[in-house]
Amino acid sequence: MEDNRSKAVVNAHSESEEEEEVSEAEAKGLELDLALGRSPCAPGSSSTAAQRIQGSLFPFELAVGSFNLVRDVPPTGKQGKDLRIGLERDRDYKRLKLFRLTGITEHCSSDNEASAPLVSWDLNCPQASLIPSDTISSGKSRDQAAAGSELSMNSNDGGVDDGKKPNASNAEDIEIRMDLTEDLLHLVFSFLSQKDLCKAGATCKQWQVASMHEDFWRCLNFEDTEISEHNFESICQRYPSANRVNLSGVYNSDVLATEAITSLRRLETLVLGNGQLGDGFFHALTDCPALNSLTICDASLGNGIQDIAINHDILRELNIVKCRVLRISVRCSQLQTLSLRRSSMAHLVLTCPQLHELDLSSCHKLSDAGIRAAAITCSLLASLDLSSCSCVSDETLREIAFACPSLSLLDASYCPNISLESVRLPMLMDLKLHSCEGITSASMSAVSYSRMLESLQLDNCGLLTSVILDLPHLRSISLVHCRKFVDLNLRCPVLSYIKVSNCSALLRINITSHALQKLILQKQERLSTLSLQCHNLREVDLSDCESLTNAICEVFSNGGGCPMLRSLALDNCERLTAVGLRNSSLVSLSLVGCHAMTVLDLSCPGLLTVNLDGCDHLEKASFCPVGLESLNLGICPKLSVLQIEAPKMSVLELKGCGVLARASISCPSLVALDASFCRQLLDDSLAMTSASCPMIESLVLSSCLSIGVDGLSSLHSLQYLTLLDLSYTFLTNLQPIFDTCSQLVILKLSACKFLSDSSLDALYKEGALPALRELDLSYSSIGQSAILGLLASCGNLVNVNLNGCANMHDLVWGSSNCHSKEIIADIYPSNLVSLRSEDECFRKTEHLLETLNCIGCPNIKKFTVTSSACCFHLSKLNLNLSANLKEVDLACFNLNSLNLSHCCSLEILKLDCPRLMNLQLLACTMLSEEALEVAISRCNMLEVINVHSCPKIHAAYLDRLRFVCRSLKRIQSSLSA
């Protein structure tokens, strides 16, 4: 047995060497051109290599590689175990080796010999014949093609050359099966194109056999492919059941088509093009009994002298498109569809009693009489396309209508001589009259006789002035660029689509329909009268209809004929001055750009969105009731009277309504109200709003100059108010706020110039507003004592803004004569801190302050925060632009960021801030190197320092800073060290 196995290996190796010794000239002769340009070998070649290649040739790609299986090899490992397959590559990384252990081991005969990956052989499978495809060349080299060989197998020797005849059981043992079953592989391949099938077939024998299944080759598509007659003949012989052939763009398509007609007895569909078809081809059509569809595109038929006769008893569809021919005679008793679109024949004879569809569009050389003579012979004609046949007349249409009573589709577009006068088409369902210069309003009388009409297209009919139709089956109508069109009156109960565009003269529209759901009439600049009885209409767009008046509101209100309307767009309708809608179904309303509108009255309980951008002249607005959840009226600067009843509204913005004086707002779900710059808003309006909107959490009354004590006292009903903004007001007494808004978290009093120190006494003396966390006193008139009192006593504050406070001079926070002990870095008191000074013990309240901003305080000179201030949470301090600040002394354990930029008078800087990471000293012109060195010496975590534009900090000193503070990572400076 070992000798037999060795012998098989030697034989296989010798065979491989023989293949590699094929001469260059012979390899060229055996080369397979997968682009289907030529045959790989001459007929009758006796070359052994050629026989091997031809025997294993896949129709479209060459499967490279060969292998031999050896039987009766003792198994290794445990007997009876499941299948184990190992794949590894040989030394040159060109071929795969396959090992499989079953009851009988099968392996490659040589380490250097290629194996097909996991294939399943059918021992009775015939050898594949030469069948090229329409795919491009596989790209394999000639050496690889010559090196490929098949496994020589048959029912007698099983492909094993060991001198023994295997029995049937041995034949079953040598099968190598894949995980994919035949049915599953067939299903996967059914999704592949023919080009992909070619590539898949080159993978292995099983895939080759599967990809050659006739189910995948019923359609032979060679469009724009070079293919020889010999290859095409081989394909037709291999797949005689093919029923569709596409030879469009093939050079010798007439010869190949004749071969297809002769060889493929089941051929049903044939597609040709880009060639010359002689009279012989059309005579051969009678030899194809199953042919029912023939398509010829962009070809020359005949020699330009004799008639082209097409005779066939089975043909049902014939398409001769864009062809050059003199005369055509079609005699097909079963033909139902005929298209001669864009062909150049001057004469046409039809003998097609079963013809239903005829397309003669753009047949410019065919005369009016020729069209008439051809069409009237087809009594069953149902569809006729005469578009761009400029010679067609009304007389021809009358005779066709008389001879073809079943005509249901007529396309007479671009026929200038048609007016449809005296033409009666009672069964017509689809009529297309694009750019017909003869169509006028009188033509609509003829259209009215077509009671079955469903679709009508009248685009670019320049003389059409009115359309008045009462058609029970009309579903769609199109009127585009009808420059003289004035009146549209439709009574069509099933009408569902209307397209009216760029009809600049249109004045009146009257539509009655039970099926219409969407109506778009944009840019009808002269449209002034609109009447609708459309019970299912849901969307209307009348944007840029500049001539619409206030009367349009009656059409869309309850009882106006549109009870189901949900969306209405009246954008840029500049003649609308008073819009009043009472519609229970309306959901969306757009009034963008209605500049002339001064009054808006909406009673639409289902309204969810309204867009009023550009309504800058609106003076009175009423939303009672509406379903809006948010509303922005800040874009209406002239609004003076407002009434809102919106149960679902949560956000209302009135920012910028500078003349709003009276406002009745009833929104029980309102959470945020922004009335900034409503300078004339009175106390009684605020009181009414507070009473009817108890859920308000955020109230912005910035620059509401008319709000006084009475208005603030009414805020007691706002139990959930957490943010109150009274910036830029003239308030002098804040006691109503302290009395009624105990739950406030944020209070903004920026630029309140009339507040005195005593105005804030209740905050730091009486403990008012215990929940307050953020206080903004920027640019206010609060003095030094009030600020110190707030910082010292209001331990609940987290963010404090003192920007631009001109009355603050020196801020010294904490006792200077209290000598505190060191505070342990990792232990923080939660509420109280004990400070011992010899025998005395002081208990100070811990402050929650995290951010303190004192930007641009012009008069502050000294800023000191000692450890006794108990600011254990202060992390950010900003003193930017404080030009007179000379001394800063900070002992803040958690301070992370300190900004002293543009403090041009700063000379003394003392920092006891072990967690400081960012120090900004931009343009501190008076700060010396010694003062900076002392300041950062105790900042052990400092990473970034900015000394840009500090003239007393020299470049040579930058290295000294890095030595003093080892944690520095970046020094921002205009100098280089």
Side-chain angles (χ1 to χ4, degrees), residues 524-786:
Q524 305 304 320
E525 300 176 356
R526 298 186 62 184
L527 179 63
S528 59
T529 304
L530 179 63
S531 176
L532 299 175
Q533 291 296 325
C534 305
H535 299 294
N536 287 305
L537 189 62
R538 286 172 168 79
E539 181 179 350
V540 176
D541 189 345
L542 297 172
S543 299
D544 299 293
C545 294
E546 300 176 358
S547 299
L548 287 177
T549 62
N550 298 334
I552 194 66
C553 299
E554 298 178 2
V555 178
F556 301 115
S557 294
N558 293 335
C562 304
M564 303 296 291
L565 186 65
R566 295 179 60 84
S567 175
L568 176 60
L570 296 172
D571 298 347
N572 301 312
C573 295
E574 298 183 355
R575 292 190 62 183
L576 293 178
T577 57
V579 176
L581 291 173
R582 284 166 175 77
N583 191 310
S584 56
S585 62
L586 193 63
V587 174
S588 175
L589 175 63
S590 180
L591 295 167
V592 175
C594 295
H595 300 287
M597 184 175 63
T598 58
V599 178
L600 177 62
D601 185 3
L602 299 180
S603 179
C604 307
L607 189 64
L608 297 179
T609 60
V610 59
N611 193 340
L612 299 174
D613 291 347
C615 299
D616 46 9
H617 288 77
L618 185 63
E619 298 177 0
K620 298 180 180 180
S622 175
F623 302 86
C624 299
V626 292
L628 296 172
E629 296 182 359
S630 63
L631 179 62
N632 183 1
L633 294 174
I635 53 181
C636 304
K638 295 185 178 182
L639 185 65
S640 59
V641 179
L642 175 63
Q643 185 176 4
I644 299 178
E645 182 182 336
K648 299 180 180 179
M649 186 174 294
S650 59
V651 178
L652 175 60
E653 292 192 23
L654 303 175
K655 185 177 182 179
C657 298
V659 297
L660 181 62
R662 293 182 295 167
S664 175
I665 302 174
S666 178
C667 304
S669 300
L670 192 65
V671 174
L673 173 60
D674 188 347
S676 302
F677 301 99
C678 294
R679 296 181 176 87
Q680 298 185 21
L681 188 64
L682 302 177
D683 287 345
D684 57 348
S685 296
L686 180 60
M688 293 174 59
T689 301
S690 301
S692 58
C693 306
M695 304 299 293
I696 292 180
E697 299 177 3
S698 174
L699 179 59
V700 180
L701 299 174
S702 177
S703 298
C704 292
L705 305 182
S706 300
I707 297 297
V709 175
D710 295 338
L712 296 180
S713 300
S714 67
L715 300 181
H716 65 86
S717 57
L718 302 180
Q719 300 298 321
Y720 301 95
L721 186 65
T722 57
L723 184 151
L724 179 60
D725 189 350
L726 296 171
S727 301
Y728 297 93
T729 58
F730 297 155
L731 295 176
T732 58
N733 185 4
L734 299 178
Q735 192 60 41
I737 298 175
F738 301 144
D739 294 339
T740 61
C741 303
S742 59
Q743 70 282 3
L744 272 184
V745 175
I746 301 173
L747 177 59
K748 297 183 179 182
L749 300 170
S750 178
C752 291
K753 299 294 186 179
F754 294 94
L755 290 179
S756 61
D757 291 357
S758 60
S759 300
L760 299 177
D761 286 349
L763 277 179
Y764 62 91
K765 293 182 178 180
E766 302 174 8
L769 305 183
L772 194 65
R773 295 293 180 268
E774 181 176 338
L775 179 62
D776 189 353
L777 294 172
S778 300
Y779 306 101
S780 65
S781 57
I782 299 298
Q784 176 96 7
S785 60

Side-chain angles (χ1 to χ4, degrees), residues 274-335:
N274 298 331
Q276 173 119 18
L277 297 176
D279 190 59
F281 165 77
F282 295 101
H283 285 300
L285 286 177
T286 56
D287 296 331
C288 191
L291 186 68
N292 60 32
S293 178
L294 174 62
T295 299
I296 304 174
C297 298
D298 196 15
S300 297
L301 309 184
N303 57 10
I305 300 176
Q306 80 277 15
D307 293 349
I308 294 298
I310 303 176
N311 301 326
H312 202 283
D313 294 334
I314 305 298
L315 194 65
R316 293 178 179 272
E317 181 180 356
L318 176 60
N319 299 298
I320 301 178
V321 180
K322 199 180 177 181
C323 291
R324 295 164 294 280
V325 60
L326 182 60
R327 291 183 292 270
I328 294 180
S329 175
V330 181
R331 184 183 296 273
C332 301
S333 59
Q334 300 297 321
L335 191 66

Side-chain angles (χ1 to χ4, degrees), residues 731-902:
L731 295 176
T732 58
N733 185 4
L734 299 178
Q735 192 60 41
I737 298 175
F738 301 144
D739 294 339
T740 61
C741 303
S742 59
Q743 70 282 3
L744 272 184
V745 175
I746 301 173
L747 177 59
K748 297 183 179 182
L749 300 170
S750 178
C752 291
K753 299 294 186 179
F754 294 94
L755 290 179
S756 61
D757 291 357
S758 60
S759 300
L760 299 177
D761 286 349
L763 277 179
Y764 62 91
K765 293 182 178 180
E766 302 174 8
L769 305 183
L772 194 65
R773 295 293 180 268
E774 181 176 338
L775 179 62
D776 189 353
L777 294 172
S778 300
Y779 306 101
S780 65
S781 57
I782 299 298
Q784 176 96 7
S785 60
I787 292 175
L788 292 177
L790 286 171
L791 294 178
S793 302
C794 297
N796 55 323
L797 292 176
V798 175
N799 297 323
V800 175
N801 292 327
L802 300 172
N803 304 323
C805 289
N807 294 331
M808 185 168 60
H809 300 280
D810 294 333
L811 198 155
V812 180
W813 190 2
S815 177
S816 60
N817 57 2
C818 179
H819 305 284
S820 62
K821 300 291 183 180
E822 292 185 0
I823 302 175
I824 301 175
D826 297 331
I827 301 177
Y828 300 94
S830 58
N831 294 315
L832 298 176
V833 176
S834 297
L835 300 176
R836 297 182 179 272
S837 177
E838 295 181 353
D839 295 333
E840 293 182 333
C841 180
F842 301 91
R843 298 175 65 83
K844 296 287 185 181
T845 303
E846 179 190 1
H847 290 274
L848 301 178
L849 188 65
E850 296 179 2
T851 302
L852 178 59
N853 293 314
C854 298
I855 302 173
C857 295
N859 298 318
I860 188 171
K861 298 179 180 179
K862 182 177 181 181
F863 193 97
T864 301
V865 180
T866 66
S867 58
S868 60
C870 302
C871 294
F872 298 110
H873 297 276
L874 185 62
S875 60
K876 184 177 180 181
L877 178 60
N878 195 341
L879 297 169
N880 187 21
L881 297 173
S882 298
N884 291 318
L885 184 63
K886 294 183 178 180
E887 180 180 352
V888 174
D889 186 356
L890 302 176
C892 302
F893 184 80
N894 268 326
L895 190 65
N896 178 270
S897 175
L898 176 60
N899 191 346
L900 297 172
S901 299
H902 300 283

Side-chain angles (χ1 to χ4, degrees), residues 160-179:
V160 182
D161 189 13
D162 59 355
K164 297 181 180 181
K165 300 296 183 179
N167 53 27
S169 62
N170 291 336
E172 295 178 357
D173 290 336
I174 66 173
E175 287 187 352
I176 304 177
R177 298 191 180 276
M178 294 189 63
D179 292 336

